[in-house]
Amino acid sequence: RNQQRPLPNEVGAWTAAINACGKSGRTDTALRLFRTMQSFGVKPNAVTCGCLSDCLLKSEPMRISETLEVLRYMKSEGLVPSEVMYTSLMDTATKVAVMENTNLRVTKDGLHVQVVEKTTDSSSTDKGISPNTTKAIVLYTELMRCLIQDETTRVYDKSLRGEPNDGHPNMLLKVFLVFQEMKKSGLKPDIACYNSLLRACAKAGDIELAQDVLRRIDDDGLQPNRATWREAIKAAKNAKRSDFADDVWNTGTSYREKRNVNSRDVSNWTPNLADVELLMSVYVAETKSLNDHKKRIILHQKIIQ
């Protein structure tokens, strides 16, 4: 039976079971069902993930590591969080930030209660996030990444969610709202968080916002990495602005000199062949959009150089 094609409504049955386990406090069973259904060839949808994340966040203590697992699954499958899930995760991240910032201890029946599980999120290092990053920042960052989807993989299940394609403006708004909420919670964004903002700017082709993010990175004294410069150049590509791509390239490759510091923590970006190809693609994208023959010749000359 494992090799048979799953029935169209099977995901609904699995989701209902996960939801029932969550409401009855059987969190481990709900999580086991989520992992097992995939081995049967049944892919969880946005509703399934929403039910499980709600169950994980309402458990005592809150299961943050497993919630991150759900978010990363959604990202890999192109599933966008529903409005309810988005709001719930925002509220939870804020609560976790407050507890981490104030070392808040909750008392229940005269005893100190652990509100957030202590399990380390070992997979965070594979995603450009430092293992020392607080759980609240990781949760905020993964939520932003989940909101930023490729148009080719982004999934909207209208039969279950009734939501239209939000488009880039709404995506940008949601991502930056998450960032603002994180700042309001008193957390200091790391470079992985800023790179997520730049990725959102790149998807929307918004170079003004990308410039603002780069300024914030500089103001916070963070060291940009390869992903930082690449996402900024991708924003230039989608905006068809080779002049901005050139500025980013020159800034990254001479970053230490421009910062005028001798610290070992500050280093220049050393582009590789893939980075050169990305820069060339910006010139090509702008060339195709131009009607002015002289400007096209200038860009062709840049490509040759």
Side-chain angles (χ1 to χ4, degrees), residues 179 188-195 213-225 228-229 255 259 265-267:
F179 177 78
K188 185 177 180 181
D190 58 9
I191 194 62
C193 176
Y194 277 120
N195 286 348
V213 173
L214 290 173
R215 280 193 294 268
R216 294 188 190 194
I217 292 173
D218 197 40
D219 292 341
D220 283 357
L222 295 173
Q223 168 66 48
N225 56 25
T228 309
W229 305 119
Y255 188 69
R259 287 286 302 274
D265 295 332
V266 178
S267 59

Side-chain angles (χ1 to χ4, degrees), residues 211-271:
Q211 287 174 320
D212 181 59
V213 173
L214 290 173
R215 280 193 294 268
R216 294 188 190 194
I217 292 173
D218 197 40
D219 292 341
D220 283 357
L222 295 173
Q223 168 66 48
N225 56 25
R226 181 168 179 254
T228 309
W229 305 119
R230 283 185 61 85
E231 293 300 346
I233 292 177
K234 287 177 184 177
K237 178 182 178 180
N238 288 333
K240 298 177 177 60
R241 287 280 303 275
S242 62
D243 57 330
F244 178 64
D246 288 338
D247 288 342
V248 171
W249 185 277
N250 293 332
T251 300
T253 53
S254 57
Y255 188 69
R256 188 170 184 175
E257 292 77 10
K258 289 181 181 294
R259 287 286 302 274
N260 195 24
V261 291
N262 294 319
S263 173
R264 292 182 178 179
D265 295 332
V266 178
S267 59
N268 293 334
W269 172 40
T270 305

Side-chain angles (χ1 to χ4, degrees), residues 261-292:
V261 291
N262 294 319
S263 173
R264 292 182 178 179
D265 295 332
V266 178
S267 59
N268 293 334
W269 172 40
T270 305
N272 59 23
L273 181 59
D275 301 324
V276 176
E277 290 175 347
L278 176 61
L279 181 63
M280 294 300 101
S281 70
V282 180
Y283 297 148
V284 172
E286 185 176 358
T287 302
K288 291 180 178 178
S289 69
L290 292 176
N291 293 322
D292 190 316

Side-chain angles (χ1 to χ4, degrees), residues 12-27 29-31 33 47-48 51-52 54-55:
W14 286 93
T15 300
I18 289 172
N19 191 39
C21 290
K23 288 183 176 179
S24 60
R26 299 171 64 185
T27 309
T29 304
L31 187 60
L33 285 171
V47 178
T48 314
C51 290
L52 181 57
D54 184 63
C55 163

Side-chain angles (χ1 to χ4, degrees), residues 95-276:
K95 290 176 185 176
V96 174
V98 170
M99 288 186 289
E100 289 180 332
N101 286 337
T102 61
N103 293 317
L104 181 65
R105 303 179 75 182
V106 178
T107 304
K108 184 176 182 179
D109 297 330
L111 299 172
H112 290 301
V113 178
Q114 184 184 342
V115 181
V116 182
E117 40 81 49
K118 293 181 179 179
T119 309
T120 22
D121 180 28
S122 58
S123 62
S124 63
T125 52
D126 297 333
K127 301 291 180 178
I129 302 174
S130 167
N132 298 321
T133 305
T134 64
K135 286 186 178 298
I137 290 182
V138 175
L139 190 54
Y140 278 124
T141 304
E142 289 298 341
L143 177 55
M144 284 192 289
R145 288 173 170 175
C146 201
L147 291 167
I148 307 165
Q149 300 286 355
D150 293 324
E151 292 302 316
T152 54
T153 59
R154 196 168 190 173
V155 174
Y156 294 90
D157 194 337
K158 294 183 179 180
S159 63
L160 293 171
R161 294 175 50 199
E163 294 183 5
N165 190 324
D166 290 332
H168 287 315
N170 202 25
M171 177 271 291
L172 263 180
L173 175 63
K174 285 185 176 181
V175 170
F176 273 82
L177 280 175
V178 174
F179 177 78
Q180 292 300 333
E181 191 65 32
M182 180 176 64
K183 294 276 285 185
K184 194 190 300 182
S185 300
L187 298 174
K188 185 177 180 181
D190 58 9
I191 194 62
C193 176
Y194 277 120
N195 286 348
S196 295
L197 288 181
L198 281 172
R199 182 168 176 77
C201 295
K203 291 294 177 187
D206 194 324
I207 60 172
E208 284 75 18
L209 271 178
Q211 287 174 320
D212 181 59
V213 173
L214 290 173
R215 280 193 294 268
R216 294 188 190 194
I217 292 173
D218 197 40
D219 292 341
D220 283 357
L222 295 173
Q223 168 66 48
N225 56 25
R226 181 168 179 254
T228 309
W229 305 119
R230 283 185 61 85
E231 293 300 346
I233 292 177
K234 287 177 184 177
K237 178 182 178 180
N238 288 333
K240 298 177 177 60
R241 287 280 303 275
S242 62
D243 57 330
F244 178 64
D246 288 338
D247 288 342
V248 171
W249 185 277
N250 293 332
T251 300
T253 53
S254 57
Y255 188 69
R256 188 170 184 175
E257 292 77 10
K258 289 181 181 294
R259 287 286 302 274
N260 195 24
V261 291
N262 294 319
S263 173
R264 292 182 178 179
D265 295 332
V266 178
S267 59
N268 293 334
W269 172 40
T270 305
N272 59 23
L273 181 59
D275 301 324
V276 176

